[in-house]
Amino acid sequence: MKTASPLAARLKRQMQADSEIIQSLTKEQLAGLRKELHAIMQRELHTIRTDMEEQGRRLAGRLLWSRTLLPLLIGLSLSLGILGGSWGMMRYLTGQIRDRQATIATMEETVRELHRQGGKIQFSSCDHRVCVRIDETARPYQDGYRILEGY
């Protein structure tokens, strides 16, 4: 039985050597797989970061538009509308003021002309008839005309 023993020992050593070779090959393959998985994970992480940055830029653009530019555009539109309406109203009212100033000037000229033509006469009621004061110092004119007081 001594012959089986060296064969068993040799088989045992061979199995141990094979086992060590298998373990080292397995470790090498696992290390390679680990490196590949790490590279894949890094690429995916980079892709995720890139996508997140892009999404962040798009959200920042939307935020800029919705929180800043859109209200600014609406505010400018309203301001321009109010400004335009105010300017139009001011032009209209300026025209109205000029028209009224011209009317007042015409009326003042009419009042001056009426004063020259007898507008200073003070009428009264005498025995239920219209009467005026006469300048007693002025001479009478033909057909009974007399100068009124104040002229």
Side-chain angles (χ1 to χ4, degrees):
M1 287 256 211
K2 288 201 169 211
T3 58
S5 162
L7 182 62
R10 196 175 97 197
L11 281 176
K12 190 175 184 183
R13 282 191 305 259
Q14 183 69 32
M15 280 179 40
Q16 277 182 337
D18 287 347
S19 176
E20 288 174 5
I21 292 172
I22 290 173
Q23 283 181 358
S24 81
L25 288 176
T26 304
K27 284 181 183 179
E28 287 177 18
Q29 284 183 343
L30 284 175
L33 286 174
R34 184 179 298 132
K35 285 181 184 178
E36 282 184 48
L37 285 175
H38 185 71
I40 291 171
M41 183 190 69
Q42 290 297 324
R43 282 194 309 267
E44 292 301 318
L45 184 61
H46 177 72
T47 302
I48 290 169
R49 283 183 181 153
T50 305
D51 289 346
M52 285 177 62
E53 287 172 2
E54 178 63 29
Q55 185 69 20
R57 281 192 293 275
R58 280 188 286 188
L59 286 175
R62 286 182 187 166
L63 183 66
L64 177 68
W65 172 252
S66 68
R67 298 289 185 197
T68 305
L69 296 178
L70 186 61
L72 179 66
L73 182 63
I74 291 170
L76 281 174
S77 298
L78 287 172
S79 296
L80 286 175
I82 290 170
L83 179 68
S86 298
W87 179 80
M89 183 57 79
M90 188 175 64
R91 299 280 297 184
Y92 170 76
L93 291 175
T94 301
Q96 291 291 314
I97 289 170
R98 286 186 184 141
D99 290 347
R100 289 199 168 98
Q101 286 174 337
T103 302
I104 288 170
T106 303
M107 289 178 167
E108 286 174 344
E109 182 59 37
T110 302
V111 166
R112 284 191 292 274
E113 184 62 30
L114 287 173
H115 277 218
R116 281 194 298 273
Q117 295 178 2
K120 290 192 239 177
I121 300 172
Q122 293 184 2
F123 292 93
S124 185
S125 179
C126 305
D127 295 328
H128 301 293
R129 293 175 55 194
V130 178
C131 59
V132 293
R133 289 189 180 155
I134 304 290
D135 186 358
E136 299 290 336
T137 61
R139 67 177 179 84
Y141 290 92
Q142 66 182 5
D143 296 330
Y145 283 97
R146 300 284 302 253
I147 303 286
L148 298 174
E149 194 176 285
Y151 288 96

